[in-house]
Amino acid sequence: MTPNIAIVRVQNPNWRGIRLWVPLFLLWIPLILLVVFVACLVGRVDALRAIAAFWALSCSLPGTDVRVSTDRNHVMVRIL
Amino acid sequence: MSEHRRQILEMLAAGKITADEAERLLAALEPDSGTNLHGSAGNGKDVDGPAPKSRAKYLRVLVEADESMTGIKGPTTVNVRVPMQLLRAGVRLASLIPKQAHDQLDQALSLHGVPVTLSQIKPENLEELIDHLEDLTVDVDGQDGNTRVKVFCE
């Protein structure tokens, strides 16, 4: 399943924290096409293989969770 | 009827073994019976046997470092959860690297102390690697207790 939403949360005591819900389903198709186009142009890679590899990569992204916390700052990125 | 099965039945008929012993021997002859004597083998209801090992789905990396390591005031923690599927996809992505670039990459990696030949990393090797990775746990504690790194699968 391709990733649908990325949640980005940034908390800082000095300013109002942000919580973004990024709709990846709107982004990943043009992004993959762009990356594949660039890869084929620069690296002379077979387009079908490039599409298959990036498709597999994007489908494996859901479940990724990255959290970084310092004394005052908290950043969280989750891909659903 | 196999030869072994016939011998067991003949021993039972001759009174050399009891019915229980015959049942045990016949069960042992079954290819997927294991040591279960009551016909529950293979149906997932055998509670006495070891539970099947569940496959790890995520690779977790936890890092805790204090001020002396990071230069940032207060403790810093990094908590990363990466799906195992992403590792497989990464290898497929690596297969897109043109062959002419493999030598340069191998040289650069070996210069940095990573003696890896990229062309030898294949999806079938990766499956084996991931299977072994599931048993991996790495715990690193800094000398002064100021840094802790933990890598494991869950």
Side-chain angles (χ1 to χ4, degrees), chain A:
Chain A
M1 200 175 90
T2 53
N4 293 318
I5 289 173
I7 302 171
V8 180
R9 195 172 64 191
V10 181
Q11 289 177 318
N12 186 302
N14 295 334
W15 48 281
R16 192 166 158 262
I18 55 170
R19 188 185 176 99
L20 292 175
W21 290 63
V22 184
L24 292 179
F25 61 93
L26 296 176
L27 294 175
W28 64 260
I29 292 177
L31 195 68
I32 285 176
L33 289 176
L34 180 72
V35 169
V36 167
F37 178 72
V38 171
C40 295
L41 205 67
V42 175
R44 293 173 188 162
V45 178
D46 181 17
L48 281 177
R49 282 180 63 205
I51 289 170
F54 279 101
W55 178 265
L57 193 71
S58 64
C59 287
S60 59
L61 278 174
T64 304
D65 190 326
V66 179
R67 294 166 196 238
V68 181
S69 301
T70 63
D71 193 26
R72 299 167 64 112
N73 304 304
H74 302 277
V75 178
M76 183 199 79
V77 179
R78 282 182 74 187
I79 298 177
L80 302 177

Side-chain angles (χ1 to χ4, degrees), chain B:
Chain B
M1 188 183 296
S2 72
E3 185 62 27
H4 293 297
R5 188 178 294 271
R6 184 184 300 277
Q7 283 178 356
I8 293 167
L9 292 175
E10 283 174 359
M11 287 162 70
L12 177 65
K16 292 179 181 175
I17 56 173
T18 64
D20 284 343
E21 288 169 337
E23 186 188 7
R24 192 173 295 129
L25 288 170
L26 286 170
L29 282 179
E30 296 292 330
D32 57 349
S33 65
T35 56
N36 194 324
L37 305 180
H38 304 289
S40 63
N43 62 7
K45 293 176 184 175
D46 186 7
V47 293
D48 295 332
K53 188 182 169 188
S54 62
R55 297 198 71 174
K57 291 176 80 175
Y58 299 103
L59 178 72
R60 290 281 302 274
V61 180
L62 306 175
V63 182
E64 292 175 17
D66 69 6
E67 198 175 330
S68 62
M69 284 298 294
T70 60
I72 301 169
K73 189 182 173 188
T76 301
T77 60
V78 178
N79 186 343
V80 179
R81 187 181 75 176
V82 180
M84 287 294 205
Q85 203 63 31
L86 197 60
L87 301 182
R88 295 182 179 92
V91 168
R92 288 186 69 180
L93 197 65
S95 69
L96 293 179
I97 298 171
K99 287 199 184 336
Q100 57 267 31
H102 276 196
D103 291 339
Q104 293 177 20
L105 277 168
D106 292 344
Q107 279 181 356
L109 285 170
S110 59
L111 271 176
H112 288 85
V114 187
V116 172
T117 308
L118 276 181
S119 56
Q120 287 181 349
I121 300 176
K122 292 172 182 161
E124 56 265 27
N125 299 340
L126 186 81
E127 286 302 321
E128 194 180 344
L129 181 72
I130 288 175
D131 283 344
H132 287 93
L133 200 65
E134 289 170 8
D135 300 325
L136 173 84
T137 303
V138 178
D139 276 304
V140 180
D141 286 326
Q143 202 169 16
D144 303 323
N146 51 11
T147 309
R148 289 186 66 202
V149 180
K150 194 167 185 180
V151 182
F152 59 96
C153 296
E154 64 178 15

